[in-house]
Amino acid sequence: MINVFMIHSGRDYDMVKDVIEPYLRGTDADSPGAYTNCNILTLESGVESSWKKDAMNKIKMSHAVIVVIGEDACKPSKKDTMGWEVERAVKYNKLVMLYNPGNYEIPDYLMITDRFTKQKRLVAPVMTLEEIKQRIDDYVNGYYPIFSSTYAELPSENRSQRKGELVDQYKMFQKTSEDLVARRQSVNSFYISVNSALTGLLGVAFGVFDDSVKMIVAAFMCVAGIILDISWINILEAYGTLNAAKMKVIKLLEEQLPVMLYDAEWRIMSDKLNNKKYVSFTDSEKRIPKLFLCLYALILTGIIVFTLYGIFS
């Protein structure tokens, strides 16, 4: 189950509570069902001084955000309320979906500039309630439509004729995953070399310079090392996220092929691990920059303590 935050005007509150929420929960007359894949979050407070804090907390808690475009969504005042909430949803990389029940005019705050084309486009697609519910279900189940609409509409006999193309794309995408691992190793080698050089220079600084100078130089190097290692950790996390996404796409491709090698490998490994905790490569890799980070922090703390002791003693 995922948290879904609703962005709407006060005028549309009844529609959200009486129509949208029951439908997405599967509890209304037109959409019966005892299950639901989403927990709907709405603002509880209308007090001007507290709604932003309430909205911020709920947006952070949410996995997806639905923007209800109502009759008064284009009013100038909505830019400071609904527009502010949309801006935060985009900032925190939430899955955004737009619902326009009355085909109303699209407000400007739902338009963003594409980074590549520099053209204005919608922050997210406008969808029907059925499409929104399906998107939420797919999100919960980890399913993503990877095939083009042209391929998806082909009859099964025509799809089988294009298996060769599917296998070629699978091989190509698999290679990008292998290349990503190689790039990660290169990044690790680079940062280890830089950190090794920096710690060596720290030793030289303590042996060459006078006390006052060596403290300044060492402190500067420690700060540089801390910034460097924070950058290293962020890059490893980005690589880990990208690799996980690639493995998910590979799994979806394998579902159309005779065997699911990566999925079988994961299940075999899970059986071997039994109840043991699995430590991902990303978590293991991050231990090295964290060790360097602790080393620089300890040296910097020692420098600060020594300097303060010299001043006040």
Side-chain angles (χ1 to χ4, degrees):
M1 182 180 292
I2 65 172
N3 292 325
V4 178
F5 179 67
M6 305 290 298
I7 296 178
H8 60 88
S9 69
R11 188 172 182 175
D12 296 319
Y13 180 78
D14 290 339
M15 178 178 62
V16 169
K17 299 302 290 184
D18 299 336
V19 179
I20 300 176
E21 184 173 343
Y23 182 84
L24 294 180
R25 289 183 182 276
T27 55
D28 71 343
D30 297 325
S31 177
Y35 74 94
T36 177
N37 275 328
C38 64
N39 175 40
I40 305 296
L41 303 176
T42 55
L43 293 182
E44 299 173 358
S45 173
V47 180
E48 186 176 353
S49 61
S50 60
W51 77 266
K52 279 192 174 183
K53 181 179 179 182
D54 189 17
M56 179 72 78
N57 291 335
K58 285 185 167 61
I59 290 171
K60 287 182 177 180
M61 288 170 54
S62 68
H63 302 88
V65 173
I66 299 174
V67 184
V68 180
I69 305 171
E71 186 176 355
D72 60 344
C74 285
K75 287 185 176 180
S77 60
K78 297 303 176 185
K79 183 176 182 180
D80 296 328
T81 54
M82 294 177 64
W84 182 87
E85 292 172 337
V86 171
E87 184 181 322
R88 293 302 177 277
V90 173
K91 177 182 178 181
Y92 293 115
N93 296 316
K94 302 300 180 180
L95 169 64
V96 179
M97 295 170 281
L98 307 181
Y99 177 54
N100 191 353
N103 292 322
Y104 298 111
E105 182 183 353
I106 302 295
D108 289 339
Y109 55 78
L110 291 179
M111 305 297 293
I112 59 174
T113 302
D114 190 281
R115 290 186 301 171
F116 301 103
T117 65
K118 305 302 180 183
Q119 300 295 317
K120 289 283 188 178
R121 65 172 178 83
L122 277 175
V123 70
V126 177
M127 307 169 73
T128 64
L129 276 183
E130 293 83 356
E131 291 171 333
I132 289 173
K133 191 175 191 306
Q134 184 62 54
R135 185 68 184 87
I136 291 172
D137 291 342
D138 290 344
Y139 186 100
V140 173
N141 297 324
Y143 173 75
Y144 299 88
I146 61 172
F147 295 104
S148 66
S149 57
T150 305
Y151 181 83
E153 292 170 0
L154 286 176
S156 56
E157 59 271 14
N158 290 349
R159 287 190 187 185
S160 61
Q161 295 174 5
R162 302 186 65 176
K163 281 289 185 182
E165 297 176 36
L166 181 62
V167 172
D168 289 340
Q169 283 190 289
Y170 173 78
K171 290 178 180 178
M172 180 183 67
F173 198 79
Q174 185 186 35
K175 187 177 185 306
T176 66
S177 180
E178 295 171 354
D179 292 342
L180 181 65
V181 173
R183 290 203 301 271
R184 285 173 67 165
Q185 294 302 321
S186 298
V187 167
N188 286 333
S189 299
F190 168 77
Y191 277 100
I192 288 173
S193 299
V194 174
N195 274 282
S196 299
L198 197 57
T199 52
L201 289 173
L202 272 171
V204 173
F206 277 111
V208 172
F209 297 107
D210 296 332
D211 288 344
S212 58
V213 177
K214 78 171 58 171
M215 293 301 175
I216 297 174
V217 174
F220 175 79
M221 288 183 176
C222 287
V223 171
I226 289 171
I227 295 172
L228 184 77
D229 290 330
I230 291 174
S231 171
W232 187 3
I233 291 171
N234 290 335
I235 289 174
L236 289 178
E237 288 177 347
Y239 273 128
T241 301
L242 181 58
N243 190 61
K246 286 183 177 292
M247 295 308 297
K248 180 62 182 177
V249 174
I250 287 174
K251 180 179 182 297
L252 292 171
L253 283 170
E254 284 186 339
E255 290 177 356
Q256 306 298 319
L257 299 173
V259 292
M260 298 178 63
L261 299 176
Y262 283 96
D263 187 59
E265 180 184 55
W266 176 256
R267 284 187 278 112
I268 291 170
M269 188 176 69
S270 298
D271 291 340
K272 291 291 185 181
L273 286 171
N274 201 359
N275 293 324
K276 296 178 182 178
K277 183 180 179 181
Y278 170 70
V279 180
S280 68
F281 287 134
T282 302
D283 290 336
S284 298
E285 286 174 326
K286 286 194 294 187
R287 290 174 179 172
I288 301 174
K290 285 178 179 178
L291 284 174
F292 279 113
L293 198 62
C294 290
L295 175 63
Y296 295 131
L298 285 173
I299 295 173
L300 186 60
T301 302
I303 292 171
I304 293 171
V305 171
F306 183 81
T307 303
L308 291 176
Y309 177 80
I311 292 172
F312 294 105
S313 61

